[in-house]
């Protein structure tokens, strides 16, 4: 860290002696089993902090009784906001819907399945007091996950780091604290292909890692499988780098140059030694190899083009069904925007 950024950090640390209000944003899809326990642990932590807070539950079109559980919690606790989406939009978009609604000075993003311990929130707040805008949790251990998942995740982070200009911290999920201004910046990114790890990194701001051990799921089923993880990896690459497209350019250039040299050799041989017809196997190899390469790069082009297609339609990211606001949210929206300091 250079001197000026250290100075800026301590300057903003000095200005952070006040009590922030906290929004905890929780996307949830079919989490009826774990929500009551999640609510109990999280509100215990938040109450102990003694600050104004809200828990923003986003129901991402669950087809179990998740919404019933959420509205039940809302009835007994005015610190709960329930955002109900019109159908399942996927975690990234559900999260975005929650972030669009939340109003806390600092915002904590957390999964409903208790893989991210809410007990870390005080440590996040400490980081915020030190002057950081983003405090993100880094997993040191992954319990209950296979070696194959660990290996693929490891490879993905390394590749992403090597290939992309945006530096994505490794072993980092969505679990983090962000200030309202960095949430606003994130809210400005309305792309449909939401590779959140990348978007967080793109927004920037002074960030600090804190380390934790990721627990296995408390209850319910993970919605991930290898096909989804592969697609997430493709999403990551296509959202943040056009390197695969460039590979095609240079690969093509290389082959064209080699072909030119080979053509000269063939011409020379024909002129010097005559032309006995030979080479069916080598021809087959070249045709199949180049055919395969061409199809591959057409496919890569298609991956990008398909994403362009999805983005240019400019559909809204999600459709809200109902919002049951917390008292924190109600107070903020009743307040005159002019005295919103
Ligand atoms: N989730 C969601 N919509 C979906 C899938 C998941 O809101 O379509 C939520 C889910 O309820 C959980 C979080 O996203 O709170 C993480 O999901 P999951 O535990 O399945 O992912 P993993 O922890 O295995 O990465
Ligand atoms: Mg999980």
């Amino acid at each position: 860290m250079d001197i000026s950024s250290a100075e800026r950090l301590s300057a903003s640390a000095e200005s952070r002696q006040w009590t922030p209000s906290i929004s905890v944003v929780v996307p949830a899809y079919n989490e009826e089993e774990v929500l009551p326990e999640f609510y109990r642990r999280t509100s215990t932590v938040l109450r102990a902090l003694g600050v104004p807070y809200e828990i923003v539950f986003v129901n991402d079109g669950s087809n179990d009784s998740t919404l019933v559980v959420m509205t039940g919690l809302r009835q007994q606790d005015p610190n709960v906001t329930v955002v109900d989406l019109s159908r399942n939009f996927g975690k990234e978009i559900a999260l975005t819907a929650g972030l669009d609604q939340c109003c806390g000075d600092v915002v904590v993003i957390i999964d409903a399945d208790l893989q991210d311990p809410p007990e870390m929130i005080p440590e996040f707040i400490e980081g915020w007091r030190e002057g950081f805008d983003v405090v993100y949790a880094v997993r040191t251990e992954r319990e209950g996950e296979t070696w194959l998942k660990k290996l693929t995740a490891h490879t993905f982070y390394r590749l992403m780091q090597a290939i992309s200009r945006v530096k994505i911290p490794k072993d980092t999920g969505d679990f983090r604290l962000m200030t309202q201004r960095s949430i606003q910046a994130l809210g400005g990114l309305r792309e449909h292909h939401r590779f959140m790890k990348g978007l967080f990194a793109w927004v920037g701001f002074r960030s600090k890692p804190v380390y934790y051990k990721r627990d296995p799921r408390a209850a319910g089923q993970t919605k991930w499988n290898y096909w989804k993880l592969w697609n997430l990896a493709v999403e990551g690459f296509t959202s943040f780098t056009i390197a695969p497209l460039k590979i095609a350019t240079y690969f093509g250039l290389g082959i064209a140059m080699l072909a030119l040299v080979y053509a000269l050799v063939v011409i020379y041989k024909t002129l010097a030694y005559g032309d006995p017809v030979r080479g069916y196997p080598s021809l087959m190899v070249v045709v199949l190899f180049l055919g395969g390469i061409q199809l591959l790069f057409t496919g890569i082009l298609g991956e990008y083009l398909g994403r362009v297609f999805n983005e240019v339609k400019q559909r809204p990211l999600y459709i809200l069904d109902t919002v049951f606001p917390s008292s924190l949210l109600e107070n903020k929206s009743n307040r005159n925007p002019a005295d919103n300091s």
Side-chain angles (χ1 to χ4, degrees):
M1 196 185 296
D2 58 43
I3 296 182
S4 77
S5 66
E7 273 171 2
R8 290 216 316 268
L9 190 64
S10 71
S12 56
E14 272 165 35
S15 65
R16 286 192 181 164
Q17 295 314 314
W18 47 285
T19 310
S21 57
I22 304 179
S23 294
V24 177
V25 177
V26 197
Y29 174 59
N30 293 350
E31 302 283 7
E32 58 175 4
E33 281 173 74
V34 68
L35 270 186
E37 176 64 7
F38 172 86
Y39 167 78
R40 193 191 60 75
R41 273 175 62 183
T42 308
S43 50
T44 309
V45 171
L46 291 170
R47 247 180 260 132
L49 278 170
V51 299
Y53 69 88
E54 62 169 349
I55 303 178
V56 182
F57 288 117
V58 184
N59 174 37
D60 188 14
S62 304
N63 37 37
D64 62 1
S65 59
T66 296
L67 181 64
V68 179
V69 176
M70 286 177 178
T71 47
L73 292 172
R74 169 71 190 80
Q75 261 157 21
Q76 67 185 65
D77 184 351
N79 294 314
V80 170
T81 294
V82 178
V83 178
D84 186 27
L85 301 183
S86 64
R87 64 170 171 85
N88 179 260
F89 284 90
K91 180 187 175 183
E92 285 72 24
I93 291 183
L95 176 60
T96 307
L99 295 178
D100 289 344
Q101 296 295 325
C102 72
C103 64
D105 300 314
V106 300
V107 179
V108 173
I109 298 169
I110 189 169
D111 283 358
D113 59 8
L114 290 172
Q115 277 191 291
D116 310 326
E119 289 73 19
M120 283 189 64
I121 294 175
E123 208 176 322
F124 284 172
I125 302 284
E126 277 311 304
W128 173 82
R129 282 208 194 284
E130 287 165 27
F132 291 96
D133 273 84
V134 180
V135 185
Y136 59 94
V138 179
R139 306 183 270 262
T140 50
E141 261 176 71
R142 293 164 158 241
E143 252 180 50
E145 287 181 0
T146 61
W147 63 269
L148 188 60
K149 186 165 179 192
K150 286 181 199 169
L151 180 75
T152 45
H154 179 87
T155 318
F156 171 74
Y157 282 115
R158 296 300 175 287
L159 252 178
M160 207 56 208
Q161 202 92 324
I163 212 170
S164 154
R165 291 177 62 180
V166 176
K167 287 288 166 250
I168 296 171
K170 72 179 161 68
D171 294 335
T172 304
D174 298 341
F175 187 32
R176 62 186 57 224
L177 171 145
M178 292 174 80
T179 51
Q180 187 60 246
R181 66 168 182 162
S182 56
I183 291 290
Q184 298 286 331
L186 188 67
L189 309 179
R190 302 311 282 183
E191 58 227 70
H192 280 253
H193 290 272
R194 302 186 79 70
F195 180 65
M196 292 308 285
K197 293 178 208 301
L199 298 185
F200 288 134
W202 189 91
V203 167
F205 287 112
R206 280 185 294 274
S207 309
K208 179 193 175 181
V210 294
Y211 296 89
Y212 81 119
K213 189 167 97 15
R214 188 160 163 92
D215 297 323
R217 242 177 184 279
Q221 282 290 312
T222 175
K223 282 95 203 169
W224 287 105
N225 54 43
Y226 278 102
W227 177 241
K228 283 192 178 169
L229 279 178
W230 164 250
N231 278 311
L232 182 72
V234 173
E235 203 73 271
F237 284 118
T238 50
S239 304
F240 281 87
T241 170
I242 53 166
L245 296 176
K246 289 189 178 157
I247 293 173
T249 311
Y250 296 109
F251 199 82
L253 201 67
I255 288 196
M257 286 190 321
L258 287 178
L260 192 70
V261 174
Y262 186 60
L264 291 176
V265 172
V266 170
I267 290 171
Y268 171 76
K269 273 173 128 181
T270 314
L271 290 178
Y273 308 111
D275 182 24
V277 178
R278 275 195 300 126
Y280 174 76
S282 52
L283 247 165
M284 258 333 253
V285 169
V286 170
V287 167
L288 287 179
F289 177 70
L290 283 186
I293 293 289
Q294 283 179 358
L295 283 178
L296 173 67
F297 283 118
T298 313
I300 293 179
L301 264 180
E303 290 286 337
Y304 283 91
L305 183 63
R307 282 170 173 79
V308 173
F309 172 69
N310 286 337
E311 300 294 352
V312 291
K313 284 188 278 193
Q314 299 219 331
R315 290 183 182 159
L317 275 181
Y318 55 84
I319 304 291
L320 286 178
D321 187 319
T322 329
V323 178
F324 305 94
S326 66
S327 49
L328 190 72
L329 187 57
E330 270 179 335
N331 290 343
K332 285 253 168 147
S333 44
N334 290 341
R335 229 204 293 170
N336 185 348
D339 46 64
N340 208 347
S341 55

